Amino acid sequence: MTELRPLRATLRDGMVSIDFELYIQNRGAEPADNVRAVLALFAASADQDAQIAAFHGAARMAPGSEPFSIAPGGIHMLKGQVTQSGDQMRVVHVQGKPMFVPILPVALKWYAGLSIRTLRDAFMVGTVPAPGSDRLGPLWVERAAEGFGRLAAKRYVPKDVAGG
């Protein structure tokens, strides 16, 4: 099981970056050895599910993070940063103001006994929801210089792009 905690989002020098902590729990009965995490950064868009599927397909061959192990029932925290060129970050305009909603797909691969296991996940990142709401707020481009405020992440489940 994974949980993403976004720490900071920045839009500077033509780059969008998200600093994060990724908590990974081993709910299995065996140790998860040689775990490697692969993460990316996209923006919410009409083809986001296809982008996430392509990322997960390619993640099997990506080198990923430095390897680590997690004992049964244990939790490992991985701290990192994902970036994307600002011209690749899809910005949409709402009431004439530019904004974006980052999506961080996550792929984990590890050894469990004699087999290689994988876990695929994705998280939307935005500002902390308003009281009484569970919807993340967008990241408004015009607020980038002063910071986006407190961030939160919600698990995102893509639709099955292969099967519709």
Side-chain angles (χ1 to χ4, degrees), residues 3 8 28 39 48 50 55 63 74 92 97 117 127 153 155 159:
E3 178 186 336
R8 184 176 66 193
L39 290 93
Q48 65 198 25
F55 164 82
V92 296
K97 295 181 181 180
R117 304 282 174 98
T127 56
R155 183 164 275 104
K159 295 174 183 63

Side-chain angles (χ1 to χ4, degrees), residues 24-101:
I24 306 155
Q25 182 177 18
N26 178 358
R27 291 188 167 177
E30 296 182 21
D33 294 321
N34 200 28
V35 179
R36 293 178 185 261
V38 182
L39 290 93
L41 174 60
F42 302 125
S45 66
D47 62 346
Q48 65 198 25
D49 291 354
Q51 284 186 306
I52 293 168
F55 164 82
H56 283 135
R60 282 182 244 151
M61 303 308 291
S65 67
E66 288 295 317
F68 53 91
S69 294
I70 310 172
I75 296 175
H76 180 83
M77 189 268 287
L78 179 69
K79 202 168 193 168
Q81 181 183 74
V82 287
T83 60
Q84 185 179 65
S85 169
D87 59 354
Q88 292 181 345
M89 180 59 65
R90 296 198 178 143
V91 172
V92 296
H93 288 78
V94 176
Q95 298 175 346
K97 295 181 181 180
M99 54 80 81
F100 63 99
V101 177

Side-chain angles (χ1 to χ4, degrees), residues 137-163:
L139 302 184
W140 297 100
V141 173
E142 65 190 21
R143 295 186 188 151
E146 65 218 36
F148 295 109
R150 287 186 35 229
L151 300 177
K154 291 183 77 165
R155 183 164 275 104
Y156 175 74
V157 179
K159 295 174 183 63
D160 179 9
V161 288

